[in-house]
Amino acid sequence: MIPIQYIIKATDVAVAAEQTQTALEAGLRWIHLSMPEASDAEVLPVAEVLRKMCSEHNATFIIEDHLEVVKAVKADGAFLSAADLPVGKARMDLGEEFLLATTVHDMEDVRRWRRESADYLWLIPDPEADALAVYTDTLHQMYEEDIPTPVCAVVSSFSAAAAQEILATGVRGLALNGPLAGLDLGA
């Protein structure tokens, strides 16, 4: 099974629950809730429902940016967007029991976030760059510098063949930022 984080981008409980149920029924076991424009009060009811669903399916549940909600629903971790607070500060706020991740674009970002104790990173190459080359080069540099932090690639569509090509670069998983329709895990 290809390790996939599925990004839920919904503004209400019903839509988020439907997307999550579809992902869980497809066999995905990593759900990432992204509601960047919402307040904690708006995110909380959605997060409560998704936390319960993920628990029932033994799936990891990550919430983007809303650290108070992460603590309130006992999510598995937090993803910090590039504009949000540093990983080190979030680590002090949440403690060691939560996973923490953020986005990186190059080796300078990788080095900074590793020093701040990120558990995993999303590597998002510049849109004009050859993504496979960026993944390969960055992972090679990380290996050379003995930086063992797992890296995920963010993709907007999915096919088993494309996923295998990306994973061959050393990337440990995919963050799917698009529809599940036609999802072929190659199982």
Side-chain angles (χ1 to χ4, degrees):
M1 168 81 70
I2 296 167
I4 300 173
Q5 297 177 31
Y6 188 61
I7 303 167
I8 303 294
K9 291 189 171 190
T11 56
D12 65 61
V13 174
V15 173
E18 181 182 336
Q19 290 177 3
T20 300
Q21 188 64 37
T22 300
L24 294 170
E25 286 175 0
L28 303 184
R29 293 297 175 258
W30 192 293
I31 301 297
H32 174 118
L33 176 60
S34 176
M35 296 176 66
E37 304 301 320
S39 68
D40 283 358
E42 293 167 315
V43 174
L44 183 61
V46 177
E48 288 172 334
V49 169
L50 271 55
R51 168 76 271 173
K52 184 175 186 295
M53 294 173 75
C54 287
S55 293
E56 290 170 354
H57 287 83
N58 197 29
T60 300
F61 180 51
I62 303 294
I63 299 172
E64 189 169 321
D65 292 335
H66 297 274
L67 299 184
E68 293 305 314
V69 177
V70 169
K71 290 188 284 191
V73 302
K74 296 181 176 60
D76 295 297
F79 179 87
L80 307 172
S81 65
D84 204 21
L85 64 130
V87 174
K89 176 141 177 35
R91 175 67 70 206
M92 289 186 330
D93 187 33
L94 292 175
E96 293 295 323
E97 66 270 18
F98 292 94
L99 293 170
L100 286 175
T102 193
T103 300
V104 296
H105 302 283
D106 55 33
M107 272 308 293
E108 184 178 323
D109 287 346
V110 169
R111 291 180 192 107
R112 179 177 64 245
W113 295 127
R114 180 61 192 145
R115 283 191 303 271
E116 294 201 22
S117 302
D119 293 300
Y120 66 95
L121 303 168
W122 280 5
L123 176 57
I124 303 177
D126 183 292
E128 274 80 60
D130 175 348
L132 291 177
V134 171
Y135 300 144
T136 301
D137 293 347
T138 302
L139 273 281
H140 178 75
Q141 285 183 289
M142 289 175 70
Y143 174 79
E144 291 291 316
E145 295 181 29
D146 195 27
I147 301 173
T149 308
V151 171
C152 293
V154 180
V155 296
S156 57
S157 62
F158 183 90
S159 74
Q164 294 302 337
E165 191 174 22
I166 293 169
L167 292 171
T169 68
V171 167
R172 299 269 295 276
L174 305 175
L176 180 56
N177 187 21
L180 281 176
L183 181 68
D184 169 21
L185 298 177

